[in-house]
Amino acid sequence: MPTARGPAAAVTAHPPAPAPSHPDPAAAVGAEALLTAEDLHYAYLGRFPALAGVSLSVHRGERLALLGANGCGKSTLLKLLDGLVFPDRGNYTAFGQPVTEDTLEDEQFSRDFRSRVGFVFQNSDVQLFSPTVRDEIAFGCLQLGLTRDDTAARVADILALLEIADLADRAPFQLSGGQKKRVAIASVLVMNPDVLLIDEPTAALDPRTSAWLLDLLTELHTAGKTTILATHDLDGLDRVADRCLVFAEDHRIAGAGTPAQVLADTALLLEVNLVHQHSHLHEGAAAPHTHPHGTAGHHHTPAPG
């Protein structure tokens, strides 16, 4: 098996496994809406709000970033889109079918949905539980009914193409954070899903692994995958997203636009606590000045004293 192919080839070489408070602006005109949510409300234990009237549509091949401060509801929305939790109020449809506790009780629907939507958790330790990396990557395919031969072929492909073949027989708990992230991603990509949900993709990763992951997301986009990622990191946003939804701390969508539009909206970023404002002195400046902080590519020299 040629290892010169990129990760995009790995997820297209095999067929898929068998079977509002703020309006969301239209995505690509004419594109197929894969996921649609209308007026979603969710509260943990019925008392702690996480989503408050969230509506959105996600279109085939789109790269959507969910932006917001910690605790605004981004991760909860991803869990809901993955069918791990269900809204207290509102509707969610995937691939034209409603996603509810009842519909996911149907074995055929559940198998189809689980094969088409994959979720990479922020904390890889939550996701990894098998005795070896090979078993971890194989688990989802076997659960979805693939034969052991087909599963073994997929696992070998993903191990090679994510450059983790040397980890195959190691226990996940023995791995570094970056290695665990690769294994978690492999365990999802091996099923060749249509939609990838990724929570805080570069959180706690070293620079080399972060760069690798950003390159991988670019390759997946080239392969036609739909990606939805939640983040509060504005660095490299234009590399991973075509469109952004900005969450406020009251668990509603406060704004939307392209990465360039969102990053240029200083008032919005300040309002939702994605940047902060303070005074400092730039090199060569006569006096300190005040402006937002937290966006990519900004460097300064602290004011003396």
Side-chain angles (χ1 to χ4, degrees), residues 106-251:
D106 180 87
E107 184 176 350
Q108 181 175 349
F109 175 80
S110 179
R111 180 176 299 172
D112 181 66
F113 177 79
R114 297 297 177 199
S115 70
R116 299 181 72 181
V117 179
F119 188 11
V120 179
F121 287 77
Q122 175 180 352
N123 182 356
S124 299
D125 288 322
V126 173
Q127 191 162 351
L128 306 178
F129 55 85
S130 297
T132 69
V133 167
R134 191 187 309 276
D135 292 335
E136 188 69 54
I137 298 172
F139 180 82
C141 292
L142 294 174
Q143 290 297 305
L144 291 174
L146 270 70
T147 68
R148 290 196 173 273
D149 286 345
D150 285 345
T151 297
R154 290 191 183 212
V155 170
D157 202 6
I158 289 294
L159 284 169
L161 292 164
L162 294 192
E163 300 178 351
I164 53 174
D166 59 324
L167 305 179
D169 297 318
R170 293 181 59 182
F173 76 86
Q174 297 175 329
L175 305 180
S176 70
Q179 290 171 330
K180 288 177 181 178
K181 179 68 77 174
R182 290 192 186 220
V183 173
I185 293 170
S187 71
V188 172
L189 289 185
V190 72
M191 293 182 285
N192 196 12
D194 294 323
V195 179
L196 284 165
L197 311 172
I198 310 172
D199 195 4
E200 299 288 356
T202 59
L205 295 184
D206 59 80
R208 184 180 298 116
T209 305
S210 295
W212 169 85
L213 182 50
L214 293 178
D215 289 342
L216 174 64
L217 291 174
T218 299
E219 291 199 47
L220 292 173
H221 175 60
T222 301
K225 297 299 179 184
T226 303
T227 56
I228 307 169
L229 61 88
T231 185
H232 62 270
D233 185 0
L234 304 182
D235 288 333
L237 188 60
D238 58 345
R239 291 188 58 191
V240 297
D242 307 308
R243 184 167 62 105
C244 306
L245 299 181
V246 183
F247 282 71
E249 292 177 293
D250 65 357
H251 315 292

